[in-house]
Amino acid sequence: MEVLDVPEPPPPRPGEVIVRPDAVGICGSDFHFFTGELQIFEESPYPRIQGHEFTGTIEQLGPETSGRLGVGDRVSILPISSCGECYPCRVGRGNVCDNFSLIGIHSDGGLQEKLRVPESQVFSISTDEPAIAALAEPFSIGVRTIHRARVADGERVVILGAGPIGQAAHLLSRARGGTTLLVDRLQSRLDLGAATGAEGLLWENRDQVVEACREWSGGEGPPLVIDATGVPDPIRAAVDMVASAGRVTVVGMSGEEVPLRIGTFTEKEVDMLGVSCCGPDEFEEAIGFVEDNQSLLEPLITRRFALERAPEALAYAMGNPAEVMKVVITSN
């Protein structure tokens, strides 16, 4: 990764705006993209300007925009767009479009001083702190997770993985009346969740976690388990521990494989649900949560780096998992 001078974007086309980013969050998918682990490309996607979790201000409006946004507005960007024609799009699930495009992955992202974005992907956000506004995108994944998982009032929810998405799932589950148990290998992450009302369990091994989570949920197994790790052992633990007629919701991302006992699905009638990105309505819901809970979210920001130190920021985030919750790169 290098910091380079690049040409300014051309003027916005009809329905587009120019955004000046001022805070960009770094997440696990940025790690996977940077190391070449994302196997979604037929040809090399590099070079690429990364950054899909970002906020900024509108600098210029193109022709034929709707009028809902103005120059100087603080905005958060929904990074994914869909084709509108494939099967998922036709059934209203454009967030898993077969031909999706993601800013910062398929096109240049927020780690630059200006970029051109379709107005349809730009949403107003009112916060006091740009780094907090940049949390809207990861919290939109949390919103999608609790929608897919169907979190209910009074429900006991086990969340495997207490990183940013696990913390978001915890906070959003609690907002719906759920009781949460975070499971992680790092005590520092459990401590962060405890400060906002989560119970915690330190991962020692799969059998220990399965037994402890069943006991925590009253002996029958939790009705809902959310995996935010993408790691085989926790996913196997989720299937083993979940109650009969329960749901396992996987939001953790990886290319790994996990062996599962087939009979568990028929004996328990387990619902196995995957989570991808969100749609516009869920993105706006995430923005509302961020706006209403700024002080609650501030502890999730581990460290800030200026844009010219972006390579150092990525290296720090990747190299210090025990310390890092969310690294944010800012424009100053």
Side-chain angles (χ1 to χ4, degrees):
M1 180 178 280
E2 298 177 280
V3 180
L4 304 172
D5 286 325
V6 298
E8 289 202 9
R13 295 170 296 198
E16 294 182 332
V17 302
I18 300 293
V19 174
R20 181 178 286 273
D22 56 12
V24 183
I26 299 298
C27 88
S29 60
D30 290 308
F31 305 165
H32 295 307
F33 180 78
F34 181 76
T35 58
E37 295 173 47
L38 286 184
Q39 303 298 316
I40 60 174
F41 304 99
E42 294 182 1
E43 300 178 356
S44 172
Y46 310 106
R48 175 68 66 226
I49 299 172
Q50 287 189 253
H52 65 274
E53 298 181 4
F54 66 100
T55 183
T57 55
I58 292 182
E59 185 161 284
Q60 186 180 353
L61 298 172
E64 300 178 28
T65 49
S66 68
R68 65 183 178 87
L69 300 169
V71 172
D73 286 357
R74 171 159 299 287
V75 292
S76 185
I77 283 71
L78 172 62
I80 191 168
S81 59
S82 56
C83 73
E85 297 178 358
C86 65
Y87 173 74
C89 288
R90 295 198 305 272
V91 298
R93 300 272 292 277
N95 62 306
V96 286
C97 171
D98 290 335
N99 308 300
F100 77 97
S101 179
L102 191 68
I103 295 172
I105 301 291
H106 299 93
S107 60
D108 287 341
L111 286 175
Q112 55 183 320
E113 292 174 313
K114 297 180 185 179
L115 76 162
R116 192 173 60 179
V117 184
E119 185 199 22
S120 60
Q121 294 175 240
V122 180
F123 297 83
S124 178
I125 184 168
S126 174
T127 67
D128 300 324
E129 169 57 56
I132 299 297
L135 292 175
E137 197 282 334
F139 267 79
S140 75
I141 306 302
V143 168
R144 181 65 182 164
T145 300
I146 64 166
H147 284 187
R148 288 281 285 162
R150 308 189 301 275
V151 176
D153 185 25
E155 199 162 42
R156 298 179 79 80
V157 183
V158 170
I159 301 170
L160 304 174
I165 301 302
Q167 299 285 344
H170 146 61
L171 290 169
L172 290 157
S173 293
R174 284 185 60 83
R176 288 196 163 201
T179 300
T180 54
L181 175 67
L182 282 170
V183 182
D184 203 278
R185 300 178 188 271
L186 299 175
Q187 185 62 48
S188 59
R189 293 185 169 189
L190 299 180
D191 292 342
L192 186 62
T196 53
E199 298 181 56
L201 175 65
L202 195 64
W203 177 286
E204 296 177 11
N205 59 67
R206 190 174 74 206
D207 291 342
Q208 162 255 345
V209 166
V210 169
E211 182 179 353
C213 290
R214 283 176 175 164
E215 182 179 346
W216 176 78
S217 57
E220 296 180 313
L224 171 60
V225 185
I226 295 171
D227 175 77
T229 71
V231 177
D233 237 18
I235 293 174
R236 174 60 190 265
V239 173
D240 289 347
M241 76 172 70
V242 70
S244 295
R247 293 102 64 208
V248 174
T249 304
V250 179
V251 62
M253 183 178 71
S254 79
E256 298 190 63
E257 297 183 2
V258 54
L260 297 170
R261 179 179 172 275
I262 295 170
T264 302
F265 295 95
T266 53
E267 294 159 8
K268 289 185 174 182
E269 284 198 353
V270 173
D271 289 354
M272 196 79 179
L273 302 162
V275 174
S276 183
C277 299
C278 75
D281 291 345
E282 290 167 323
F283 196 77
E284 289 192 291
E285 183 176 337
I287 286 174
F289 186 86
V290 170
E291 290 174 333
D292 293 342
N293 294 278
Q294 295 182 55
S295 61
L296 191 69
L297 304 186
E298 178 64 37
L300 298 180
I301 308 297
T302 305
R303 190 168 170 186
R304 296 165 172 83
F305 289 81
L307 179 61
E308 60 267 21
R309 297 174 64 196
E312 180 186 350
L314 185 65
Y316 176 79
M318 294 177 69
N320 296 276
E323 302 171 24
V324 169
M325 182 57 57
K326 179 63 64 176
V327 166
V328 177
I329 298 169
T330 64
S331 60
N332 50 42

